Amino acid sequence: MTPAQDRRTELAHFIRSRRERRSPEAAGLPNAGRRRTPGLRREEVATLAGVSITWYTWLEQARDIRVSRQVLGALAGALGLDGTERAHLFRLAGELPPEDADPAPELPHQYRLLLTHLDPNPAFIVNPRFDILAWNRGCELLYGDLGALPARRRNVLWLTFTSPEVRAMTRDWEAEAALTLALFRTQASEGVLAPDLTGLAEELTEASPDFARLWQRRDLAPFAPQARTVDHPRLGEVTLDYVKLHLSNDDKTLVSYLLPPGTELERRFAELAAVTGQATVNPPSTGSTVPVT
């Protein structure tokens, strides 16, 4: 089977599984008594979604048919999908999830605890899109008010290519931006063709001519730990080593900058971090942001 056929088959299995677990009462339909099969009937889902029973049957049979975003939204409502399931439905249909879909499941509390223990070393967690999902107090001091950004703009690539503050603080912006994209493409591998990643690239291509130019180079680069130096408006010249660790049994990555132990920089970070909040996805405002790759 081709990847497109595999995806249609998975879409068919997914919507059928959700149809079978959706009760008539939950869908606002009268209970007509005992049913031979669990959940809703196909014709009931079709009626609720405003499509023909023939078309919906073809969808559950994994036929090669086009599903519009409007119909996907109607199906999500008819099947009672939550934000995560709704986003999954759109991806299986080859569409970018809606802006209001949940960007990712809630992070385990152990991850947030780890971020707290890493203070005052700036640390954060990203997903394959390079969305910044959580960060600690040290990260707030370095990156600023990430919590003020919309969730889908709280992203390494968006910061690198659309933030004037990031560009101003980066010593060699062209080299850093090119490396960021090369690392992103390498980490994504064949997943770079997934709808949510192609959608991200399309949005950034429209927003940034520099992104469009560098993205067309299709550069790849392995991750190699090395020092990064930025001219921070509050801390002056800051040079930090950093590491990236893939979280076990997950598609997320922990990134942590490493403060030189016993130095004035470590002391200043520790003092400033003491007056900020705990590891969070919604920190108080602390100023500008700097590039993260």
Side-chain angles (χ1 to χ4, degrees):
M1 295 179 68
T2 66
Q5 290 172 323
D6 287 339
R7 193 166 61 187
R8 288 198 302 271
T9 299
E10 181 60 29
L11 173 62
H13 290 321
F14 178 68
I15 61 175
R16 180 172 181 174
S17 70
R18 294 315 185 264
R19 172 173 65 82
E20 291 177 346
R21 71 173 57 178
R22 178 82 159 156
S23 69
E25 294 83 2
L29 299 175
N31 189 346
R34 188 173 181 179
R35 297 180 174 223
R36 290 187 300 173
T37 57
L40 298 175
R41 301 184 180 96
R42 285 178 175 174
E43 57 267 26
E44 291 172 331
V45 174
T47 299
L48 290 170
V51 298
S52 72
I53 177 59
T54 300
W55 184 92
Y56 180 77
T57 300
W58 286 351
L59 191 62
E60 282 202 6
Q61 291 174 345
R63 300 278 191 96
D64 187 6
I65 56 177
R66 173 67 179 172
V67 188
S68 70
R69 294 180 64 84
Q70 180 179 359
V71 170
L72 288 171
L75 282 174
L79 296 170
L81 304 186
D82 62 24
T84 300
E85 292 171 325
R86 187 168 177 242
H88 185 61
L89 174 72
F90 272 73
R91 292 190 185 99
L92 288 176
E95 292 286 345
L96 187 68
E99 288 287 334
D100 59 348
D102 292 343
E106 181 69 17
L107 288 175
H109 76 275
Q110 292 89 345
Y111 290 178
R112 300 183 187 279
L113 184 61
L114 174 60
L115 290 174
T116 300
H117 280 293
L118 285 171
D119 269 325
N121 294 283
F124 56 95
I125 293 173
V126 296
N127 63 12
R129 279 175 40 98
F130 279 23
D131 294 320
I132 303 172
L133 305 178
W135 54 95
N136 65 6
R137 296 178 296 182
C139 189
E140 293 179 32
L141 298 176
L142 196 59
Y143 298 134
D145 193 7
L146 294 175
L149 300 174
R152 295 183 72 86
R153 294 293 182 267
R154 197 180 303 136
N155 176 280
V156 170
L157 299 181
W158 277 102
L159 290 175
T160 300
F161 286 94
T162 67
S163 169
E165 293 82 7
V166 167
R167 187 180 290 249
M169 285 187 287
T170 307
R171 289 288 179 90
D172 187 348
W173 183 87
E174 179 80 12
E176 290 284 351
L179 177 60
T180 301
L181 276 188
L183 291 171
F184 174 76
R185 190 182 283 275
T186 301
Q187 183 171 312
S189 188
E190 68 274 9
V192 75
L193 299 177
D196 52 346
L197 298 193
T198 58
L200 174 64
E202 289 171 1
E203 292 180 48
L204 280 162
T205 295
E206 295 182 3
S208 169
D210 286 319
F211 176 90
R213 173 175 55 84
L214 294 175
W215 185 245
Q216 289 303 314
R217 287 167 38 173
R218 291 177 168 79
D219 290 342
L220 299 172
F223 172 73
Q226 59 186 9
R228 299 291 176 87
T229 301
V230 298
D231 295 313
H232 195 276
R234 298 179 63 192
L235 298 171
E237 180 180 301
V238 176
T239 299
L240 299 169
D241 287 308
Y242 80 112
V243 296
K244 295 176 70 174
L245 302 173
H246 292 291
L247 301 176
S248 179
N249 299 320
D250 208 333
D251 62 353
K252 300 173 182 63
T253 301
L254 169 71
V255 180
S256 181
Y257 286 82
L258 305 176
L259 294 160
T263 63
E264 177 66 14
L265 180 60
E266 183 186 42
R267 186 189 66 80
R268 292 180 65 192
F269 260 81
E271 289 179 351
L272 291 173
V275 298
T276 63
Q278 296 180 351
T280 183
V281 295
N282 188 23
S285 177
T286 55
S288 302
T289 57
V290 301
V292 285
T293 57

